[in-house]
Amino acid sequence: QDTATNLRSSVYDQHSPGPALKRQLDQNFKDWELTNTIETKTIANKKAIGTANLRVDEAINEAAKTGHPEAAEPQIRDLIKGKVSSGLIAPQQAKNELQVALNKVDEYGARNYIESNPIGAAKYLEDKKNLSRLDPDQRDRFLTEARVRRHQFQSDQVQGIRDSYDSGNPKSKAELDTLEKTEQISPRGREMYDAYV
């Protein structure tokens, strides 16, 4: 707008166009201002749509992070319906976005389960009924991670038992049997502890 106003002033101040040329120039300047207005509004609308889309995607991701399909799925469906009804995405995109979002729920669910239950996570993930939207590659990666975390947890437990033994608080055979039975320590870890003692 400023550029158009400055150019108009500059042309009219430096030249004295005749009435026909002045009418033509006035029309050209009006057309230019209208075009600029339309372009500016279009850019602003695109930016607003992009920002709105980004905020809804963040909300979908936050819902997925819970890792609980029962809680997250209805919320995600509502958010995607809102994107369609407000014109942020086409209805054809909604199905694809829903599938991607629900897959994220299972991914976060697997991560959360591994983090909170390193002992039971591998067994849980081996059952393909659990977190059923994981593809075979994802399931294999999470299973590997769960097994590594279980081994790390069991090793840390054995180290804790050894430290307890060193400080004069040894575990009884019954306590060790319970720890091994509940898989808090592995049979190999138990053997290593017994050899250490």
Side-chain angles (χ1 to χ4, degrees), residues 52-188:
N53 212 1
L54 183 63
R55 287 195 177 139
V56 175
D57 287 345
E58 287 171 358
I60 289 170
N61 199 38
E62 285 302 313
K65 280 183 182 177
T66 64
H68 298 293
E70 309 80 36
E73 192 167 332
Q75 187 178 358
I76 289 170
R77 285 183 187 280
D78 288 345
L79 288 166
I80 291 176
K81 277 184 194 173
K83 283 177 83 169
V84 172
S85 64
S86 62
L88 295 175
I89 60 171
Q92 303 87 314
Q93 287 177 277
K95 185 178 178 183
N96 194 28
E97 281 201 21
L98 178 63
Q99 187 59 42
V100 169
L102 294 178
N103 184 272
K104 276 186 181 179
V105 172
D106 281 5
E107 284 182 46
Y108 281 116
R111 285 191 184 105
N112 294 346
Y113 203 88
I114 291 167
E115 188 70 31
S116 65
N117 186 359
I119 298 300
K123 286 181 184 171
Y124 181 78
L125 288 166
E126 285 167 0
D127 185 352
K128 292 187 170 118
K129 291 178 195 164
N130 297 325
L131 305 175
S132 60
R133 288 183 279 261
L134 293 176
D135 67 40
D137 289 339
Q138 288 174 313
R139 189 172 296 278
D140 287 344
R141 276 196 319 275
F142 285 126
L143 267 169
T144 300
E145 185 180 339
R147 290 176 182 135
V148 167
R149 291 296 302 272
R150 178 179 60 198
H151 177 72
Q152 182 182 5
F153 178 84
Q154 290 172 332
S155 296
D156 291 346
Q157 292 295 98
V158 170
Q159 184 60 46
I161 294 168
R162 283 176 63 172
D163 293 345
S164 178
Y165 174 80
D166 290 341
S167 63
N169 297 319
K171 298 279 186 198
S172 68
K173 182 182 180 327
E175 289 175 309
L176 291 169
D177 289 343
T178 301
L179 288 171
E180 187 176 352
K181 185 177 180 184
T182 58
E183 296 184 33
Q184 299 293 307
I185 60 174
S186 66
R188 185 167 181 264

Side-chain angles (χ1 to χ4, degrees), residues 37-52:
T37 302
I38 291 169
E39 284 180 11
T40 303
K41 285 182 180 177
T42 302
I43 290 168
N45 285 340
K46 281 183 179 178
K47 187 166 183 158
I49 288 169
T51 301

